[in-house]
Amino acid sequence: SQQGEEDPQALSIQEGENATMNCSYKTSINNLQWYRQNSGRGLVHLILIRSNEREKHSGRLRVTLDTSKKSSSLLITASRAADTASYFCKIQGAQKLVFGQGTRLTINP
Amino acid sequence: GAVVSQHPSRVICKSGTSVKIECRSLDFQATTMFWYRQFPKQSLMLMATSNEGSKATYEQGVEKDKFLINHASLTLSTLTVTSAHPEDSSFYICSATEGGSYNSPLHFGNGTRLTVT
C-alpha cells in the first residue's frame, strides 16, 4: 500500500494540552506531508518533511520522521479549540497520491 | 500563498441532470490538478488526475463517462457529473500543485457538496 495510515483514528483532549498523532507507511518516500481539514472544507497544507530530515517545526507544530521505522508524528502543542479538525498525512514516494483515513482531533474547551 | 478556488461550494440537483464543478488556480499555473471524492468521516478518494491539454487519468473503478474532466487551460479544470443519481451525492474536492511536481505541497479548493435528489 502506498498510503500513510494515521493513528489514532480519533483523539479528544482538553484545550491547552498537547496532541500527538502518528502516521505509518510501508514504501520508501521522498517526503511526507501533513494536512488539516476543517469540517466541510478542503485540506490545508501544514508542513512538509523530507526523507533526509528528522524533525521540523512550524509555530506550534512539530513533525518528526523516522525512516527506519517508516513513521512520522505530528505534535500540536498548547492546543486550541480552532485546532479541532481532521489531520491527514500524505506520503510522497511515487506518483500515486493517496491519503490515509486521518485522525479526527477534538479540542474540548 | 497559492490559492485554489472551487465553485460552486454547494449544489442540489435532480436525478438525471448534470452538474459542472470548476477548479481554478488563482495565482499560479497548474499543469496538473487532482479530483477527489470524500464520504462523511472518511478519507479522500482520488478519482482522477487532470492534465492540461490532454486526457485525464482515471483511477480504477471511476467511470470516465460518468465523471467528465476537462483541463483546457493552465488555471482551470472542470469536473462534470453526468446524469447524476443520489449515490453520486458526496463532497468533491480538487487540488493542484504549483510546479506540477508530485513532491510539492498540494493546494486544495474548499470542496463542493453535491446533493442529488
Side-chain angles (χ1 to χ4, degrees):
Chain A
S1 168
Q2 296 181 22
Q3 69 185 66
E5 294 293 343
E6 295 88 350
D7 172 66
Q9 291 189 354
L11 179 62
S12 181
I13 61 173
Q14 294 299 120
E15 192 168 17
E17 294 180 341
N18 296 341
T20 300
M21 54 206 87
N22 305 295
C23 172
S24 60
Y25 57 93
K26 295 182 180 178
T27 63
S28 59
I29 63 171
N30 294 329
N31 65 64
L32 186 146
Q33 302 169 27
W34 284 93
Y35 292 81
R36 182 187 73 231
Q37 183 183 30
N38 291 93
S39 180
R41 305 295 292 266
L43 278 69
V44 174
H45 177 257
L46 295 176
I47 198 164
L48 181 154
I49 186 165
R50 293 184 171 78
S51 60
N52 60 354
E53 298 176 310
R54 291 297 168 258
E55 188 171 310
K56 204 162 182 180
H57 297 255
S58 177
R60 294 183 296 113
L61 306 180
R62 182 171 79 98
V63 169
T64 62
L65 178 64
D66 187 333
T67 53
S68 65
K69 295 181 179 179
K70 289 186 166 52
S71 69
S72 173
S73 67
L74 170 66
L75 168 68
I76 303 174
T77 61
S79 63
R80 304 169 182 170
D83 295 328
T84 294
S86 290
Y87 292 81
F88 296 89
C89 67
K90 181 178 81 70
I91 63 170
Q92 196 59 61
Q95 292 187 352
K96 190 85 169 179
L97 296 174
V98 184
F99 289 83
Q101 291 297 309
T103 293
R104 291 191 304 279
L105 175 64
T106 303
I107 308 299
N108 302 304
Chain B
V3 177
V4 173
S5 174
Q6 187 173 341
H7 179 80
S9 58
R10 290 179 182 273
V11 58
I12 300 173
C13 69
K14 292 186 177 180
S15 187
T17 61
S18 295
V19 174
K20 179 184 284 188
I21 302 170
E22 293 188 347
C23 183
R24 294 180 184 271
S25 56
L26 297 186
D27 49 2
F28 66 97
Q29 293 184 335
T31 54
T32 304
M33 289 186 176
F34 307 95
W35 288 96
Y36 302 85
R37 182 173 181 176
Q38 186 178 34
F39 292 102
K41 296 186 178 180
Q42 293 190 25
S43 185
L44 284 73
M45 182 189 78
L46 179 66
M47 298 175 66
T49 302
S50 169
N51 302 295
E52 187 268 335
S54 64
K55 292 183 179 181
T57 303
Y58 290 82
E59 295 300 306
Q60 190 174 7
V62 179
E63 300 176 57
K64 56 184 176 183
D65 294 329
K66 173 78 173 175
F67 299 99
L68 298 178
I69 291 173
N70 184 275
H71 194 157
S73 77
L74 287 171
T75 59
L76 174 64
S77 175
T78 60
L79 168 67
T80 301
V81 183
T82 62
S83 187
H85 291 283
E87 57 265 31
D88 297 325
S89 297
S90 191
F91 191 58
Y92 294 88
I93 311 175
C94 70
S95 71
T97 60
E98 285 190 62
S101 167
Y102 291 96
N103 287 312
S104 301
L106 295 172
H107 304 288
F108 285 81
N110 275 326
T112 296
R113 174 78 57 194
L114 171 63
T115 302
V116 185
T117 61

